[in-house]
Amino acid sequence: MVFAPRSRVVEGVRAYGLIAAMWLRSTMAYRASFVMTAVGNFAATAFDFVAIMLMFSHVDVLGGYTLPEIALLYGAAGTAFGLADLVMGSMDRLGRRVRDGTLDTLLVRPVPVLAQVAADRFALRRLGRITQGLLVLGYALVTLDIGWTVLKVVMVQLMLLSGAAIFGAVFVAGAAFQFFAQDASEVQNSFTYGGNTLLQYPPTVFAKDLVRGVTFVVPLAFVNWLPALYVLGREYPLDLPDWVAFLPPVVAVGCWVVAGLAWRAGLRAYRSTGS
């Protein structure tokens, strides 16, 4: 019994891998289509940064930040979100499954439901978003004059991994909400896609109440704002202490605990449509 939760996690990861591999084989059966959709995904997300570059053709700084500094925020948020979207992006389809009763077919299988929902229609084309984020991040790291230390090098890596984990937890929590409000996928998207857009800009351009909300309520600030400001050597918003920049892994774990509890509560509350 002690090892049951761990074996359940291993089982879920294995099931996720098998389902994702099935969708990958399906995708690779039409490689030209895959390449075109991946390039399209890359181009669509690239327009966000093009818009930022156009703004800087008229101003030198935005909220006290230069273009390379904003590129660091943009690249970190885009990469972290892209990783979460690749792994957990199918969670927003849960409401549709609840409405049409197809969730019942997942419940009767001897595989964790979360793994099945997350891996459903695994879309490798989302690599386009990750690639675009990494390119912008690379531009920022090459252009900026950063006094590199071992901690700052580690911080960049933790920022991407912890940020992806935080976004992944938001995907799961948003999906859990859809057990109760089946038409809530847009509410979930406001925190995932909307949160990604928010984090592309420095905290100085937003009202303090909004910054407090994404720091203490839905802790998206730990995705890139706080660790990136440590790397840049800039002041943190809300006069936060220096050590909060090292909390993203802790925050990610806390977010997953909350998301896991919300998922279990939603799954218990689910009632079949009977169809």
Side-chain angles (χ1 to χ4, degrees):
M1 293 298 293
V2 176
F3 297 100
R6 182 179 177 182
S7 64
R8 189 69 172 169
V9 171
V10 172
E11 181 184 354
V13 172
R14 180 176 178 275
Y16 181 97
L18 292 173
I19 297 170
M22 176 191 70
W23 285 106
L24 281 175
R25 289 194 296 271
S26 174
T27 299
M28 289 298 108
Y30 304 94
R31 300 195 178 190
S33 175
F34 161 70
V35 171
M36 287 188 288
T37 54
V39 171
N41 186 270
F42 175 91
T45 55
F47 280 120
D48 290 339
F49 191 66
V50 170
I52 294 175
M53 294 176 66
L54 288 175
M55 280 191 284
F56 274 92
S57 67
H58 299 284
V59 298
D60 295 325
V61 294
L62 180 64
Y65 285 71
T66 63
L67 177 59
E69 288 175 322
I70 290 182
L72 178 63
L73 297 176
Y74 179 101
T79 303
F81 178 76
L83 290 169
D85 191 37
L86 176 67
V87 178
M88 309 295 296
S90 296
M91 297 299 297
D92 60 0
R93 293 192 177 93
L94 180 66
R96 191 181 313 163
R97 283 190 171 276
V98 172
R99 287 195 306 274
D100 60 23
T102 56
L103 183 64
D104 293 358
T105 62
L106 307 185
L107 292 171
V108 298
R109 296 171 183 168
V111 176
V113 178
L114 179 59
Q116 296 182 71
V117 175
D120 184 40
R121 298 186 180 277
F122 182 85
L124 195 62
R125 68 176 183 278
R126 292 171 177 151
L127 284 175
R129 181 186 294 274
I130 299 173
T131 303
Q132 191 261 341
L134 285 173
L135 288 175
V136 175
L137 180 61
Y139 156 74
L141 295 177
V142 169
T143 306
L144 287 168
D145 184 18
I146 299 173
W148 288 106
T149 64
V150 174
L151 279 179
K152 288 186 177 181
V153 172
V154 173
M155 182 66 74
V156 172
Q157 300 172 59
L158 282 179
M159 177 168 55
L160 300 181
L161 296 176
S162 299
I166 292 171
F167 269 126
V170 174
F171 270 111
V172 173
F177 180 63
Q178 293 184 54
F179 279 113
F180 305 97
Q182 293 87 4
D183 295 317
S185 61
E186 293 306 319
V187 176
Q188 175 182 333
N189 291 341
S190 68
F191 288 99
T192 51
Y193 291 91
N196 175 48
T197 301
L198 173 78
L199 296 176
Q200 293 171 359
Y201 297 90
T204 50
V205 304
F206 300 106
K208 284 190 176 181
D209 287 340
L210 178 60
V211 176
R212 289 190 186 97
V214 297
T215 302
F216 302 112
V217 181
V218 182
L220 296 177
F222 291 88
V223 171
N224 70 334
W225 277 353
L226 297 175
L229 295 185
Y230 171 81
V231 174
L232 292 172
R234 300 193 61 125
E235 293 183 2
Y236 303 158
L238 309 176
D239 297 322
L240 294 169
D242 294 345
W243 51 265
V244 297
F246 297 89
L247 291 181
V250 178
V251 172
V253 171
C255 286
W256 269 100
V257 170
V258 173
L261 292 174
W263 176 262
R264 289 172 66 89
L267 201 58
R268 288 196 185 102
Y270 172 70
R271 295 294 180 268
S272 172
T273 61
S275 58

